[in-house]
Amino acid sequence: GSGSFVPAVVIGTGYGAAVSALRLGEAGIPTLMLEMGQLWNKPADDGNVFCGMLKPDRRSSWFKSRTEAPLGSFLWLDVINRDIDPYAGVLDKVHFDQMSVYVGRGVGGGSLVNGGMAVVPKRSYFEEVLPRVDAAEMYDRYFPRANSMLKVNHIDKGWFEETEWYKFARVSREQAGKAGLGTTFVPNVYDFDYMRREANGESPKSALATEVIYGNNHGKQSLDKTYLAAALGTGKVTIETLHQVKAIHQQPDGSYVLSVDQIDAAGQTVAHKEIACRHLFLGAGSLGSTELLVRARDTGALPDLNAEVGAGWGPNGNIMTGRANHVWNTTGAHQSSIPALGIDDWDNPAAPVFAEIAPMPAGLETWVSLYLAITKNPERGTFVYDKATDRAALRWTRDQNTPAVDAAKSLFDRINKANTTMYRYDLFGPQLKNFSDDFCYHPLGGCVLGKATDGYGRVAGYRNLYVTDGALIPGSIGVNPFVTITALAERNVERIIAEDVKAA
Ligand code: FDA
């Protein structure tokens, strides 16, 4: 393969990666970003960059022959998923033995496929999770910086109360209220002014056309429109797409060499590259960054990585559930795909839960109220290197999710009781199941701050090697995580550029 040298490499283009690349570029450091997914900016034959949720095609999924939507069924019918051609699509579901993890693939990482919910964690819980991070500094400086850079905005409350598109959320709020539970508005990076223009018929519909997990064609301020655009604007940052980093080793002079496979969108390998750099930033996400380091440690490429690499993983207590409403209590055929309200019972000491009221935008009345609950589950998983497959396997058993299911159940049992309603058992696949305990959207940990790294993400045992992403957060943050990942990356990279990069 071809060899080349760049001062700094950032692996991935998600939140941690994008923050790091922007700040490196601003500091004048030539920086190369390597992203295994595609750049999503060219319309396909149908005129759209992304496909919709109800008629998914190959753009939806990362090398699958059938789509793998989180709700696999409805009345036990497999009506949601479709056969497709394997392709470098935007949403991946990574399967481990007893847990599957949804992640975004492409320039912007998870920002391309996520619900855009931009939530600053409760300060007391942040302090509990990351006790050695100066919380005052985070809440005074880095969370506000992240919110402003990410273009976080708030729904107009008057419009929320009157629009048909959020009836599903108002219904759930009223039912929560009957059980004595309060709700809170959730900020978002989807442009709510754009959404109102969609509702008024003034702009092409995206959130109001069921788009979200396979990408939004309009309205969403994903990272390619915020941090990554600014990074490219420095003139110092370049992005190579369809470049997957396979392995990392170190040369005697301390520089790092990456083995990279370049593929085409059909999955054929078109080149092998060796890329050397002085400073290496891992922003491949909790799964990606952890796998690269576990592999490097256990193949002997970076033997001084410590035993904490791979440890401390959790799904942020994610549990999905659905409730069946009475026939007279309709949630609406028209639902925005962008959530706007959460049930906040986090201060309940017995079972803390923050449950986002999720839409089920099916284009017809379903009488379903859907939720993604974030619970406080103390269980943690560990990634171990599997030599036979050259992959990091996740040691996590289904029963480790029991505390999360129990917490979600205690909250939704209260709501069902107060409203004389029941769970739906038909949404999560062919078996009877009212709680999804086998997949998550919020993988966190694997290279925990202060354990696998120092207090700023410098990997223990190696100079000029950094983790920047969700792998730093020890398995739980109590709210949707990307604002925290962004703010922490801002804090860490500021210190690293000042002390390590500029000084070098
Ligand atoms: P992230 O996963 O964003 O980026 C990693 C990037 O690295 C990816 O682009 C990947 O392709 C690339 N990569 C991985 N390995 C590589 C390799 N070896 N070589 C090259 N590139 C590699 N959060 C939230 O706060 N609010 C929300 O509403 C939601 N909703 C939501 C919905 C869905 C469907 C999903 C899947 C996720 C969410 N999330 C969310 C979670 C959120 O998207 C997630 O926490 C962040 O994207 C994680 O950011 P990171 O920087 O850690 O990595």
Side-chain angles (χ1 to χ4, degrees), residues 64 68-70 92-103 287 313-315 318 394 396-398 401 436-443:
K64 307 277 183 196
E68 298 182 1
D92 197 0
K93 188 179 187 186
V94 180
H95 297 281
F96 299 104
D97 190 20
Q98 301 193 34
M99 169 60 76
S100 298
V101 183
Y102 284 98
V103 292
L287 303 186
W313 185 85
N318 282 185
L394 179 61
W396 169 276
T397 56
R398 183 79 51 85
N401 244 337
S436 73
D437 57 355
D438 55 357
F439 70 80
C440 72
Y441 292 150
H442 299 165

PDB file of all heavy atoms in Angstrom, residues 64 68-70 92-103 287 313-315 318 394 396-398 401 436-443:
ATOM      1  N   LYS A  64     -26.283  -4.651   4.951  1.00  0.00           N
ATOM      2  CA  LYS A  64     -27.264  -5.635   5.407  1.00  0.00           C
ATOM      3  C   LYS A  64     -28.037  -6.107   4.178  1.00  0.00           C
ATOM      4  O   LYS A  64     -28.180  -5.352   3.211  1.00  0.00           O
ATOM      5  CB  LYS A  64     -28.275  -5.009   6.378  1.00  0.00           C
ATOM      6  CG  LYS A  64     -27.674  -4.268   7.560  1.00  0.00           C
ATOM      7  CD  LYS A  64     -27.318  -5.201   8.689  1.00  0.00           C
ATOM      8  CE  LYS A  64     -26.785  -4.412   9.884  1.00  0.00           C
ATOM      9  NZ  LYS A  64     -26.092  -5.268  10.846  1.00  0.00           N
ATOM     10  N   GLU A  68     -32.987  -3.427   9.555  1.00  0.00           N
ATOM     11  CA  GLU A  68     -33.126  -3.886  10.934  1.00  0.00           C
ATOM     12  C   GLU A  68     -33.668  -2.744  11.800  1.00  0.00           C
ATOM     13  O   GLU A  68     -32.981  -2.221  12.669  1.00  0.00           O
ATOM     14  CB  GLU A  68     -31.778  -4.404  11.462  1.00  0.00           C
ATOM     15  CG  GLU A  68     -31.261  -5.606  10.662  1.00  0.00           C
ATOM     16  CD  GLU A  68     -29.947  -6.177  11.184  1.00  0.00           C
ATOM     17  OE1 GLU A  68     -29.405  -5.685  12.192  1.00  0.00           O
ATOM     18  OE2 GLU A  68     -29.465  -7.139  10.555  1.00  0.00           O
ATOM     19  N   ALA A  69     -34.904  -2.340  11.506  1.00  0.00           N
ATOM     20  CA  ALA A  69     -35.516  -1.232  12.243  1.00  0.00           C
ATOM     21  C   ALA A  69     -35.738  -1.629  13.699  1.00  0.00           C
ATOM     22  O   ALA A  69     -35.993  -2.798  13.995  1.00  0.00           O
ATOM     23  CB  ALA A  69     -36.843  -0.852  11.597  1.00  0.00           C
ATOM     24  N   PRO A  70     -35.646  -0.655  14.624  1.00  0.00           N
ATOM     25  CA  PRO A  70     -35.815  -0.969  16.052  1.00  0.00           C
ATOM     26  C   PRO A  70     -37.176  -1.580  16.369  1.00  0.00           C
ATOM     27  O   PRO A  70     -37.274  -2.418  17.261  1.00  0.00           O
ATOM     28  CB  PRO A  70     -35.632   0.378  16.741  1.00  0.00           C
ATOM     29  CG  PRO A  70     -35.589   1.405  15.666  1.00  0.00           C
ATOM     30  CD  PRO A  70     -35.259   0.720  14.394  1.00  0.00           C
ATOM     31  N   ASP A  92     -26.161   1.466  11.081  1.00  0.00           N
ATOM     32  CA  ASP A  92     -25.660   0.118  11.332  1.00  0.00           C
ATOM     33  C   ASP A  92     -26.271  -0.399  12.624  1.00  0.00           C
ATOM     34  O   ASP A  92     -26.551   0.376  13.549  1.00  0.00           O
ATOM     35  CB  ASP A  92     -24.123   0.146  11.460  1.00  0.00           C
ATOM     36  CG  ASP A  92     -23.474  -1.226  11.306  1.00  0.00           C
ATOM     37  OD1 ASP A  92     -24.205  -2.221  11.097  1.00  0.00           O
ATOM     38  OD2 ASP A  92     -22.232  -1.287  11.391  1.00  0.00           O
ATOM     39  N   LYS A  93     -26.530  -1.691  12.666  1.00  0.00           N
ATOM     40  CA  LYS A  93     -26.880  -2.349  13.921  1.00  0.00           C
ATOM     41  C   LYS A  93     -25.796  -3.398  14.136  1.00  0.00           C
ATOM     42  O   LYS A  93     -25.700  -4.357  13.359  1.00  0.00           O
ATOM     43  CB  LYS A  93     -28.266  -2.981  13.824  1.00  0.00           C
ATOM     44  CG  LYS A  93     -28.786  -3.510  15.163  1.00  0.00           C
ATOM     45  CD  LYS A  93     -30.187  -4.104  15.006  1.00  0.00           C
ATOM     46  CE  LYS A  93     -30.782  -4.485  16.367  1.00  0.00           C
ATOM     47  NZ  LYS A  93     -32.084  -5.182  16.213  1.00  0.00           N
ATOM     48  N   VAL A  94     -24.989  -3.192  15.140  1.00  0.00           N
ATOM     49  CA  VAL A  94     -23.861  -4.087  15.411  1.00  0.00           C
ATOM     50  C   VAL A  94     -24.332  -5.132  16.415  1.00  0.00           C
ATOM     51  O   VAL A  94     -24.815  -4.786  17.499  1.00  0.00           O
ATOM     52  CB  VAL A  94     -22.660  -3.295  15.980  1.00  0.00           C
ATOM     53  CG1 VAL A  94     -21.486  -4.227  16.260  1.00  0.00           C
ATOM     54  CG2 VAL A  94     -22.243  -2.177  15.018  1.00  0.00           C
ATOM     55  N   HIS A  95     -24.212  -6.395  16.030  1.00  0.00           N
ATOM     56  CA  HIS A  95     -24.737  -7.475  16.869  1.00  0.00           C
ATOM     57  C   HIS A  95     -23.639  -8.111  17.707  1.00  0.00           C
ATOM     58  O   HIS A  95     -22.674  -8.629  17.164  1.00  0.00           O
ATOM     59  CB  HIS A  95     -25.382  -8.559  15.999  1.00  0.00           C
ATOM     60  CG  HIS A  95     -26.559  -8.054  15.229  1.00  0.00           C
ATOM     61  ND1 HIS A  95     -27.799  -7.896  15.803  1.00  0.00           N
ATOM     62  CD2 HIS A  95     -26.683  -7.627  13.958  1.00  0.00           C
ATOM     63  CE1 HIS A  95     -28.642  -7.413  14.903  1.00  0.00           C
ATOM     64  NE2 HIS A  95     -27.986  -7.232  13.774  1.00  0.00           N
ATOM     65  N   PHE A  96     -23.818  -8.069  18.990  1.00  0.00           N
ATOM     66  CA  PHE A  96     -22.991  -8.870  19.893  1.00  0.00           C
ATOM     67  C   PHE A  96     -23.861 -10.024  20.382  1.00  0.00           C
ATOM     68  O   PHE A  96     -25.033 -10.135  20.021  1.00  0.00           O
ATOM     69  CB  PHE A  96     -22.475  -8.016  21.051  1.00  0.00           C
ATOM     70  CG  PHE A  96     -21.613  -6.865  20.594  1.00  0.00           C
ATOM     71  CD1 PHE A  96     -22.097  -5.575  20.578  1.00  0.00           C
ATOM     72  CD2 PHE A  96     -20.312  -7.086  20.149  1.00  0.00           C
ATOM     73  CE1 PHE A  96     -21.316  -4.509  20.140  1.00  0.00           C
ATOM     74  CE2 PHE A  96     -19.521  -6.039  19.715  1.00  0.00           C
ATOM     75  CZ  PHE A  96     -20.021  -4.747  19.706  1.00  0.00           C
ATOM     76  N   ASP A  97     -23.270 -10.867  21.208  1.00  0.00           N
ATOM     77  CA  ASP A  97     -23.962 -12.075  21.648  1.00  0.00           C
ATOM     78  C   ASP A  97     -25.355 -11.782  22.222  1.00  0.00           C
ATOM     79  O   ASP A  97     -26.362 -12.336  21.780  1.00  0.00           O
ATOM     80  CB  ASP A  97     -23.055 -12.774  22.678  1.00  0.00           C
ATOM     81  CG  ASP A  97     -23.553 -14.157  23.016  1.00  0.00           C
ATOM     82  OD1 ASP A  97     -24.329 -14.706  22.207  1.00  0.00           O
ATOM     83  OD2 ASP A  97     -23.174 -14.684  24.076  1.00  0.00           O
ATOM     84  N   GLN A  98     -25.437 -10.875  23.205  1.00  0.00           N
ATOM     85  CA  GLN A  98     -26.724 -10.640  23.869  1.00  0.00           C
ATOM     86  C   GLN A  98     -27.133  -9.170  23.882  1.00  0.00           C
ATOM     87  O   GLN A  98     -27.950  -8.748  24.703  1.00  0.00           O
ATOM     88  CB  GLN A  98     -26.691 -11.205  25.295  1.00  0.00           C
ATOM     89  CG  GLN A  98     -26.393 -12.699  25.262  1.00  0.00           C
ATOM     90  CD  GLN A  98     -26.639 -13.392  26.577  1.00  0.00           C
ATOM     91  OE1 GLN A  98     -27.542 -13.055  27.331  1.00  0.00           O
ATOM     92  NE2 GLN A  98     -25.823 -14.399  26.857  1.00  0.00           N
ATOM     93  N   MET A  99     -26.533  -8.383  23.015  1.00  0.00           N
ATOM     94  CA  MET A  99     -26.859  -6.954  22.932  1.00  0.00           C
ATOM     95  C   MET A  99     -26.545  -6.490  21.522  1.00  0.00           C
ATOM     96  O   MET A  99     -25.529  -6.891  20.952  1.00  0.00           O
ATOM     97  CB  MET A  99     -26.014  -6.175  23.955  1.00  0.00           C
ATOM     98  CG  MET A  99     -26.038  -4.661  23.836  1.00  0.00           C
ATOM     99  SD  MET A  99     -27.654  -3.884  24.024  1.00  0.00           S
ATOM    100  CE  MET A  99     -27.922  -3.972  25.792  1.00  0.00           C
ATOM    101  N   SER A 100     -27.438  -5.688  20.942  1.00  0.00           N
ATOM    102  CA  SER A 100     -27.165  -5.070  19.644  1.00  0.00           C
ATOM    103  C   SER A 100     -27.141  -3.562  19.818  1.00  0.00           C
ATOM    104  O   SER A 100     -27.879  -3.013  20.643  1.00  0.00           O
ATOM    105  CB  SER A 100     -28.236  -5.448  18.627  1.00  0.00           C
ATOM    106  OG  SER A 100     -28.229  -6.840  18.428  1.00  0.00           O
ATOM    107  N   VAL A 101     -26.294  -2.914  19.036  1.00  0.00           N
ATOM    108  CA  VAL A 101     -26.061  -1.481  19.214  1.00  0.00           C
ATOM    109  C   VAL A 101     -26.258  -0.769  17.875  1.00  0.00           C
ATOM    110  O   VAL A 101     -25.613  -1.127  16.880  1.00  0.00           O
ATOM    111  CB  VAL A 101     -24.633  -1.225  19.735  1.00  0.00           C
ATOM    112  CG1 VAL A 101     -24.431   0.261  19.991  1.00  0.00           C
ATOM    113  CG2 VAL A 101     -24.346  -2.036  21.000  1.00  0.00           C
ATOM    114  N   TYR A 102     -27.138   0.231  17.847  1.00  0.00           N
ATOM    115  CA  TYR A 102     -27.315   1.057  16.651  1.00  0.00           C
ATOM    116  C   TYR A 102     -26.269   2.167  16.629  1.00  0.00           C
ATOM    117  O   TYR A 102     -26.045   2.839  17.644  1.00  0.00           O
ATOM    118  CB  TYR A 102     -28.702   1.700  16.650  1.00  0.00           C
ATOM    119  CG  TYR A 102     -29.809   0.743  16.279  1.00  0.00           C
ATOM    120  CD1 TYR A 102     -30.572   0.125  17.252  1.00  0.00           C
ATOM    121  CD2 TYR A 102     -30.083   0.470  14.947  1.00  0.00           C
ATOM    122  CE1 TYR A 102     -31.594  -0.749  16.910  1.00  0.00           C
ATOM    123  CE2 TYR A 102     -31.096  -0.406  14.588  1.00  0.00           C
ATOM    124  CZ  TYR A 102     -31.847  -1.009  15.574  1.00  0.00           C
ATOM    125  OH  TYR A 102     -32.844  -1.876  15.227  1.00  0.00           O
ATOM    126  N   VAL A 103     -25.632   2.352  15.470  1.00  0.00           N
ATOM    127  CA  VAL A 103     -24.670   3.460  15.299  1.00  0.00           C
ATOM    128  C   VAL A 103     -24.816   4.047  13.894  1.00  0.00           C
ATOM    129  O   VAL A 103     -25.237   3.350  12.960  1.00  0.00           O
ATOM    130  CB  VAL A 103     -23.206   3.004  15.515  1.00  0.00           C
ATOM    131  CG1 VAL A 103     -22.944   2.638  16.964  1.00  0.00           C
ATOM    132  CG2 VAL A 103     -22.831   1.854  14.602  1.00  0.00           C
ATOM    133  N   LEU A 287     -17.933   1.829  20.436  1.00  0.00           N
ATOM    134  CA  LEU A 287     -17.592   0.516  19.873  1.00  0.00           C
ATOM    135  C   LEU A 287     -16.303   0.587  19.065  1.00  0.00           C
ATOM    136  O   LEU A 287     -15.430  -0.277  19.190  1.00  0.00           O
ATOM    137  CB  LEU A 287     -18.696   0.000  18.942  1.00  0.00           C
ATOM    138  CG  LEU A 287     -20.106  -0.140  19.474  1.00  0.00           C
ATOM    139  CD1 LEU A 287     -20.982  -0.811  18.428  1.00  0.00           C
ATOM    140  CD2 LEU A 287     -20.128  -0.922  20.760  1.00  0.00           C
ATOM    141  N   TRP A 313     -18.273  -0.616  30.004  1.00  0.00           N
ATOM    142  CA  TRP A 313     -19.250  -0.311  28.949  1.00  0.00           C
ATOM    143  C   TRP A 313     -20.682  -0.449  29.465  1.00  0.00           C
ATOM    144  O   TRP A 313     -20.979  -1.351  30.258  1.00  0.00           O
ATOM    145  CB  TRP A 313     -19.068  -1.258  27.748  1.00  0.00           C
ATOM    146  CG  TRP A 313     -19.985  -0.887  26.620  1.00  0.00           C
ATOM    147  CD1 TRP A 313     -19.740   0.047  25.654  1.00  0.00           C
ATOM    148  CD2 TRP A 313     -21.305  -1.383  26.384  1.00  0.00           C
ATOM    149  NE1 TRP A 313     -20.835   0.152  24.820  1.00  0.00           N
ATOM    150  CE2 TRP A 313     -21.810  -0.710  25.249  1.00  0.00           C
ATOM    151  CE3 TRP A 313     -22.113  -2.324  27.026  1.00  0.00           C
ATOM    152  CZ2 TRP A 313     -23.081  -0.951  24.730  1.00  0.00           C
ATOM    153  CZ3 TRP A 313     -23.388  -2.559  26.516  1.00  0.00           C
ATOM    154  CH2 TRP A 313     -23.859  -1.879  25.377  1.00  0.00           C
ATOM    155  N   GLY A 314     -21.553   0.429  28.998  1.00  0.00           N
ATOM    156  CA  GLY A 314     -22.970   0.307  29.322  1.00  0.00           C
ATOM    157  C   GLY A 314     -23.831   0.937  28.248  1.00  0.00           C
ATOM    158  O   GLY A 314     -23.364   1.764  27.467  1.00  0.00           O
ATOM    159  N   PRO A 315     -25.128   0.546  28.195  1.00  0.00           N
ATOM    160  CA  PRO A 315     -26.070   1.067  27.184  1.00  0.00           C
ATOM    161  C   PRO A 315     -26.879   2.267  27.678  1.00  0.00           C
ATOM    162  O   PRO A 315     -27.959   2.521  27.161  1.00  0.00           O
ATOM    163  CB  PRO A 315     -26.969  -0.145  26.924  1.00  0.00           C
ATOM    164  CG  PRO A 315     -27.002  -0.882  28.228  1.00  0.00           C
ATOM    165  CD  PRO A 315     -25.694  -0.605  28.937  1.00  0.00           C
ATOM    166  N   ASN A 318     -30.740   2.125  28.399  1.00  0.00           N
ATOM    167  CA  ASN A 318     -31.791   2.232  27.365  1.00  0.00           C
ATOM    168  C   ASN A 318     -32.775   1.058  27.404  1.00  0.00           C
ATOM    169  O   ASN A 318     -32.368  -0.105  27.319  1.00  0.00           O
ATOM    170  CB  ASN A 318     -31.176   2.198  25.960  1.00  0.00           C
ATOM    171  CG  ASN A 318     -30.543   3.507  25.495  1.00  0.00           C
ATOM    172  OD1 ASN A 318     -30.120   3.591  24.351  1.00  0.00           O
ATOM    173  ND2 ASN A 318     -30.477   4.500  26.349  1.00  0.00           N
ATOM    174  N   LEU A 394     -18.385  -8.323  22.916  1.00  0.00           N
ATOM    175  CA  LEU A 394     -18.911  -7.669  24.113  1.00  0.00           C
ATOM    176  C   LEU A 394     -19.412  -8.704  25.106  1.00  0.00           C
ATOM    177  O   LEU A 394     -20.329  -9.467  24.800  1.00  0.00           O
ATOM    178  CB  LEU A 394     -20.051  -6.713  23.741  1.00  0.00           C
ATOM    179  CG  LEU A 394     -20.712  -5.986  24.919  1.00  0.00           C
ATOM    180  CD1 LEU A 394     -19.721  -5.104  25.666  1.00  0.00           C
ATOM    181  CD2 LEU A 394     -21.904  -5.158  24.434  1.00  0.00           C
ATOM    182  N   TRP A 396     -21.583  -9.090  27.789  1.00  0.00           N
ATOM    183  CA  TRP A 396     -22.771  -8.466  28.397  1.00  0.00           C
ATOM    184  C   TRP A 396     -23.897  -9.462  28.257  1.00  0.00           C
ATOM    185  O   TRP A 396     -24.146  -9.947  27.153  1.00  0.00           O
ATOM    186  CB  TRP A 396     -23.113  -7.161  27.661  1.00  0.00           C
ATOM    187  CG  TRP A 396     -24.455  -6.609  28.052  1.00  0.00           C
ATOM    188  CD1 TRP A 396     -25.665  -6.966  27.529  1.00  0.00           C
ATOM    189  CD2 TRP A 396     -24.732  -5.608  29.037  1.00  0.00           C
ATOM    190  NE1 TRP A 396     -26.678  -6.265  28.134  1.00  0.00           N
ATOM    191  CE2 TRP A 396     -26.136  -5.427  29.063  1.00  0.00           C
ATOM    192  CE3 TRP A 396     -23.932  -4.856  29.914  1.00  0.00           C
ATOM    193  CZ2 TRP A 396     -26.741  -4.520  29.925  1.00  0.00           C
ATOM    194  CZ3 TRP A 396     -24.551  -3.956  30.762  1.00  0.00           C
ATOM    195  CH2 TRP A 396     -25.934  -3.789  30.767  1.00  0.00           C
ATOM    196  N   THR A 397     -24.542  -9.809  29.346  1.00  0.00           N
ATOM    197  CA  THR A 397     -25.626 -10.782  29.262  1.00  0.00           C
ATOM    198  C   THR A 397     -26.972 -10.081  29.387  1.00  0.00           C
ATOM    199  O   THR A 397     -27.078  -9.014  29.999  1.00  0.00           O
ATOM    200  CB  THR A 397     -25.511 -11.846  30.375  1.00  0.00           C
ATOM    201  OG1 THR A 397     -25.477 -11.179  31.638  1.00  0.00           O
ATOM    202  CG2 THR A 397     -24.256 -12.686  30.197  1.00  0.00           C
ATOM    203  N   ARG A 398     -27.985 -10.705  28.782  1.00  0.00           N
ATOM    204  CA  ARG A 398     -29.323 -10.125  28.783  1.00  0.00           C
ATOM    205  C   ARG A 398     -29.796  -9.802  30.192  1.00  0.00           C
ATOM    206  O   ARG A 398     -30.414  -8.761  30.435  1.00  0.00           O
ATOM    207  CB  ARG A 398     -30.286 -11.099  28.097  1.00  0.00           C
ATOM    208  CG  ARG A 398     -31.711 -10.637  27.935  1.00  0.00           C
ATOM    209  CD  ARG A 398     -31.870  -9.685  26.770  1.00  0.00           C
ATOM    210  NE  ARG A 398     -31.279 -10.212  25.553  1.00  0.00           N
ATOM    211  CZ  ARG A 398     -31.896 -11.042  24.716  1.00  0.00           C
ATOM    212  NH1 ARG A 398     -33.123 -11.438  24.956  1.00  0.00           N
ATOM    213  NH2 ARG A 398     -31.303 -11.459  23.628  1.00  0.00           N
ATOM    214  N   ASN A 401     -29.569  -6.471  32.000  1.00  0.00           N
ATOM    215  CA  ASN A 401     -30.532  -5.401  31.769  1.00  0.00           C
ATOM    216  C   ASN A 401     -31.741  -5.475  32.693  1.00  0.00           C
ATOM    217  O   ASN A 401     -32.626  -4.613  32.623  1.00  0.00           O
ATOM    218  CB  ASN A 401     -30.989  -5.404  30.309  1.00  0.00           C
ATOM    219  CG  ASN A 401     -30.564  -4.130  29.591  1.00  0.00           C
ATOM    220  OD1 ASN A 401     -30.320  -3.111  30.235  1.00  0.00           O
ATOM    221  ND2 ASN A 401     -30.492  -4.178  28.277  1.00  0.00           N
ATOM    222  N   SER A 436     -37.965  -3.747  25.277  1.00  0.00           N
ATOM    223  CA  SER A 436     -36.818  -4.148  24.461  1.00  0.00           C
ATOM    224  C   SER A 436     -35.584  -4.062  25.347  1.00  0.00           C
ATOM    225  O   SER A 436     -35.179  -2.980  25.759  1.00  0.00           O
ATOM    226  CB  SER A 436     -36.664  -3.194  23.286  1.00  0.00           C
ATOM    227  OG  SER A 436     -36.165  -1.969  23.750  1.00  0.00           O
ATOM    228  N   ASP A 437     -35.035  -5.204  25.675  1.00  0.00           N
ATOM    229  CA  ASP A 437     -33.862  -5.210  26.560  1.00  0.00           C
ATOM    230  C   ASP A 437     -32.615  -5.705  25.825  1.00  0.00           C
ATOM    231  O   ASP A 437     -31.613  -6.017  26.444  1.00  0.00           O
ATOM    232  CB  ASP A 437     -34.117  -6.109  27.775  1.00  0.00           C
ATOM    233  CG  ASP A 437     -34.460  -7.532  27.359  1.00  0.00           C
ATOM    234  OD1 ASP A 437     -34.584  -7.794  26.145  1.00  0.00           O
ATOM    235  OD2 ASP A 437     -34.597  -8.386  28.252  1.00  0.00           O
ATOM    236  N   ASP A 438     -32.699  -5.785  24.486  1.00  0.00           N
ATOM    237  CA  ASP A 438     -31.597  -6.400  23.741  1.00  0.00           C
ATOM    238  C   ASP A 438     -30.982  -5.480  22.690  1.00  0.00           C
ATOM    239  O   ASP A 438     -30.218  -5.927  21.849  1.00  0.00           O
ATOM    240  CB  ASP A 438     -32.066  -7.706  23.085  1.00  0.00           C
ATOM    241  CG  ASP A 438     -33.292  -7.500  22.216  1.00  0.00           C
ATOM    242  OD1 ASP A 438     -33.811  -6.355  22.166  1.00  0.00           O
ATOM    243  OD2 ASP A 438     -33.745  -8.468  21.589  1.00  0.00           O
ATOM    244  N   PHE A 439     -31.349  -4.184  22.713  1.00  0.00           N
ATOM    245  CA  PHE A 439     -30.647  -3.243  21.833  1.00  0.00           C
ATOM    246  C   PHE A 439     -30.538  -1.888  22.504  1.00  0.00           C
ATOM    247  O   PHE A 439     -31.255  -1.603  23.473  1.00  0.00           O
ATOM    248  CB  PHE A 439     -31.314  -3.133  20.455  1.00  0.00           C
ATOM    249  CG  PHE A 439     -32.649  -2.438  20.437  1.00  0.00           C
ATOM    250  CD1 PHE A 439     -32.734  -1.053  20.455  1.00  0.00           C
ATOM    251  CD2 PHE A 439     -33.828  -3.172  20.363  1.00  0.00           C
ATOM    252  CE1 PHE A 439     -33.963  -0.410  20.406  1.00  0.00           C
ATOM    253  CE2 PHE A 439     -35.068  -2.540  20.315  1.00  0.00           C
ATOM    254  CZ  PHE A 439     -35.129  -1.152  20.342  1.00  0.00           C
ATOM    255  N   CYS A 440     -29.636  -1.066  22.013  1.00  0.00           N
ATOM    256  CA  CYS A 440     -29.503   0.286  22.563  1.00  0.00           C
ATOM    257  C   CYS A 440     -29.077   1.266  21.485  1.00  0.00           C
ATOM    258  O   CYS A 440     -28.558   0.887  20.434  1.00  0.00           O
ATOM    259  CB  CYS A 440     -28.525   0.315  23.739  1.00  0.00           C
ATOM    260  SG  CYS A 440     -26.803   0.130  23.253  1.00  0.00           S
ATOM    261  N   TYR A 441     -29.325   2.531  21.781  1.00  0.00           N
ATOM    262  CA  TYR A 441     -28.906   3.657  20.934  1.00  0.00           C
ATOM    263  C   TYR A 441     -27.726   4.420  21.543  1.00  0.00           C
ATOM    264  O   TYR A 441     -27.145   5.256  20.873  1.00  0.00           O
ATOM    265  CB  TYR A 441     -30.043   4.679  20.820  1.00  0.00           C
ATOM    266  CG  TYR A 441     -31.262   4.272  20.064  1.00  0.00           C
ATOM    267  CD1 TYR A 441     -32.497   4.802  20.402  1.00  0.00           C
ATOM    268  CD2 TYR A 441     -31.189   3.401  18.979  1.00  0.00           C
ATOM    269  CE1 TYR A 441     -33.643   4.475  19.693  1.00  0.00           C
ATOM    270  CE2 TYR A 441     -32.328   3.069  18.271  1.00  0.00           C
ATOM    271  CZ  TYR A 441     -33.551   3.606  18.633  1.00  0.00           C
ATOM    272  OH  TYR A 441     -34.677   3.290  17.944  1.00  0.00           O
ATOM    273  N   HIS A 442     -27.464   4.188  22.811  1.00  0.00           N
ATOM    274  CA  HIS A 442     -26.513   5.047  23.535  1.00  0.00           C
ATOM    275  C   HIS A 442     -25.331   4.258  24.096  1.00  0.00           C
ATOM    276  O   HIS A 442     -25.129   4.220  25.307  1.00  0.00           O
ATOM    277  CB  HIS A 442     -27.218   5.759  24.704  1.00  0.00           C
ATOM    278  CG  HIS A 442     -28.348   6.653  24.307  1.00  0.00           C
ATOM    279  ND1 HIS A 442     -29.272   7.130  25.213  1.00  0.00           N
ATOM    280  CD2 HIS A 442     -28.691   7.181  23.110  1.00  0.00           C
ATOM    281  CE1 HIS A 442     -30.146   7.904  24.585  1.00  0.00           C
ATOM    282  NE2 HIS A 442     -29.820   7.948  23.307  1.00  0.00           N
ATOM    283  N   PRO A 443     -24.515   3.625  23.234  1.00  0.00           N
ATOM    284  CA  PRO A 443     -23.348   2.910  23.757  1.00  0.00           C
ATOM    285  C   PRO A 443     -22.365   3.897  24.387  1.00  0.00           C
ATOM    286  O   PRO A 443     -22.037   4.913  23.791  1.00  0.00           O
ATOM    287  CB  PRO A 443     -22.747   2.268  22.493  1.00  0.00           C
ATOM    288  CG  PRO A 443     -23.140   3.196  21.381  1.00  0.00           C
ATOM    289  CD  PRO A 443     -24.525   3.675  21.758  1.00  0.00           C
TER     290      PRO A 443
END
